[in-house]
Amino acid sequence: MISVKDVSYTYMTGTPFEKTALKNISFDTAQGEVLAIAGHTGSGKSTLIQIVAGLIKLTSGAVEIDGLTVADKKIRRLVGIVFQYPEHQLFEETVERDIAFGPRNFGLSEAEVSARVEEAMRQVGLEAGLKNLSPFELSGGQRRRVAIAGILALKPKYLILDEPTAGLDPLAKENLLRELFGTVKRSGVTIILVSHNMEDIARFADNVIVLAQGEILFKGTPRELFAREEILARAGLEPPPITQLLRKLNIDEQALTLDEAEKIILKRRL
Ligand SMILES: Nc1ncnc2c1ncn2[C@@H]1O[C@H](COP(=O)(O)OP(=O)(O)O)[C@@H](O)[C@H]1O
Ligand SMILES: [Mg+2]
C-alpha cells in the first residue's frame, strides 16, 4: 500500500518565487486499484507523484510504501514512474536495448532480461518483430509504448503514469489505454493515473482524487465525482461528454461509458 499522510510542499521557500504546490495531502491506495489523480494544470499532480516516487524530497508529512519510507532505496524496485512524454527519453539503438536497460542495471541474467523484454512488449501490445528496430523508426504511439515497456520490465508493484496519453492520436491513445488497463491491471499492479481527461477516468479508474491549487477537493469513485458538478466546476474540470449529453437530454441517470448511455437512452425510448 502507498500511504500518503499530511504531505505539504512548497517550491523555492524563502524566495520571492515561493510557491506552495501541495497542502495537507493524505490518501492510501488499495491493492490492485487504478487511482486517478485529476486536476487542472498547475494543481500539483506532478509534484505529488514525484514525492510519492521519492524524486522530490519530502519536507512535511510522510509517505510509506509497503511500510518503507520513500527515503529507503528499496522503494525504487517497487515503484515505476512514467513521466509525461516518456518517449523523449529513449536513447538506445534498438527497442530491445531500450526496454532492457533498467533490468540490465538491476543485474539480472541475460535470460531473465530477455524474458522481461518479451513480456513487457506483450503487455503494451508491441509486436515482438519490432525488437531490433531503432525507436526512431516507430510511430509516436509505438515509441510511447516502448518507453512504458521499459518501466514495466522492472516489474513494479506500483505503476505511476503522468498523462500517459497526452499528445497521442485517438487510435494510439485507445490502444495504449486498453493495454494498460487490461493486461497490466490484470497482472495485479496498482496504478496511479494522472490525468485531466474525465473520459479516461470514467472508463478506467476505480477511485479518483481531485486536486485544486494543491488541495484535495474530492476523493471517491468516478461515478460519485460526476454527480458533483460543483466540485468539477471548482476544479476547472468538465464531466465526460457522455455525462454531459445525458444532462442535456434531461435524463437524471448517470452513464460512465457509451454502452451504459445507450442502454439508458434506449430504455427511455421504449
Ligand atoms: N520546479 C518548480 N519550481 C517552482 N515551481 C514549480 C516547479 N514545478 C512546479 N511548480 C509549481 O507548482 C505548482 C504545481 O505544479 P505541478 O505539480 O507541475 O502541477 P500539475 O502537474 O498539476 O500541472 C504550479 O503552480 C507550478 O507552477
Ligand atoms: Mg503535470
Side-chain angles (χ1 to χ4, degrees):
M1 174 172 86
I2 295 179
S3 165
V4 175
K5 280 202 194 82
D6 216 16
V7 166
S8 299
Y9 190 78
T10 302
Y11 285 104
M12 305 204 267
T13 317
T15 76
F17 307 104
E18 188 169 296
K19 171 81 202 175
T20 296
L22 296 172
K23 289 177 220 159
N24 308 108
I25 303 292
S26 298
F27 65 89
D28 291 333
T29 60
Q31 185 55 47
E33 77 168 332
V34 176
L35 172 65
I37 299 182
H40 204 262
T41 306
S43 57
K45 305 182 298 294
S46 294
T47 305
L48 177 57
I49 58 166
Q50 289 177 77
I51 286 180
V52 167
L55 302 169
I56 294 180
K57 207 166 156 248
L58 259 183
T59 49
S60 150
V63 176
E64 280 191 5
I65 300 174
D66 292 356
L68 302 169
T69 69
V70 272
D72 195 319
K73 287 208 169 75
K74 281 188 215 134
I75 71 141
R76 296 201 187 149
R77 295 252 180 158
L78 291 175
V79 181
I81 180 163
V82 177
F83 294 104
Q84 263 185 285
Y85 300 100
E87 63 277 19
H88 295 170
Q89 279 151 37
L90 298 176
F91 63 96
E92 290 281 357
E93 279 156 42
T94 65
V95 166
E96 191 276 335
R97 289 171 63 107
D98 234 306
I99 301 173
F101 182 80
R104 282 207 175 106
N105 268 359
F106 276 0
L108 301 173
S109 72
E110 275 310 300
E112 174 69 15
V113 170
S114 302
R116 285 193 178 202
V117 169
E118 270 176 36
E119 188 185 352
M121 288 184 75
R122 221 175 314 121
Q123 280 182 314
V124 297
L126 282 173
E127 283 163 42
L130 300 174
K131 214 165 68 171
N132 297 317
L133 293 185
S134 156
F136 301 99
E137 293 173 82
L138 306 180
S139 71
Q142 285 173 324
R143 279 207 292 277
R144 178 84 47 96
R145 287 162 187 238
V146 171
I148 295 174
I151 301 296
L152 292 176
L154 300 169
K155 290 201 184 282
K157 184 169 169 195
Y158 302 95
L159 177 65
I160 302 176
L161 301 154
D162 196 349
E163 304 274 5
T165 61
L168 294 184
D169 64 66
L171 186 63
K173 177 185 133 142
E174 190 58 31
N175 287 336
L176 179 62
L177 287 170
R178 274 181 201 278
E179 299 292 348
L180 281 176
F181 298 109
T183 327
V184 177
K185 194 185 175 196
R186 267 198 303 280
S187 70
V189 176
T190 301
I191 301 177
I192 295 183
L193 169 70
V194 171
S195 176
H196 58 238
N197 185 318
M198 293 302 118
E199 213 180 338
D200 294 349
I201 289 174
R203 290 169 60 206
F204 300 109
D206 297 305
N207 288 295
V208 54
I209 286 173
V210 176
L211 286 183
Q213 289 163 351
E215 290 183 271
I216 293 185
L217 273 193
F218 173 90
K219 248 189 277 189
T221 64
R223 207 174 283 281
E224 285 160 357
L225 174 62
F226 300 138
R228 303 280 301 275
E229 267 174 88
E230 81 288 0
I231 296 213
L232 291 169
R234 268 172 68 201
L237 300 171
E238 294 235 305
I242 272 298
T243 311
Q244 294 184 47
L245 175 65
L246 290 193
R247 275 196 202 132
K248 282 198 175 140
L249 295 172
N250 268 328
I251 296 176
D252 200 24
E253 276 180 85
Q254 225 199 1
L256 291 191
T257 62
L258 260 181
D259 286 348
E260 273 180 39
E262 187 186 12
K263 283 199 190 99
I264 290 171
I265 291 170
L266 285 177
K267 192 173 69 190
R268 302 244 158 178
R269 278 183 25 199
L270 295 176

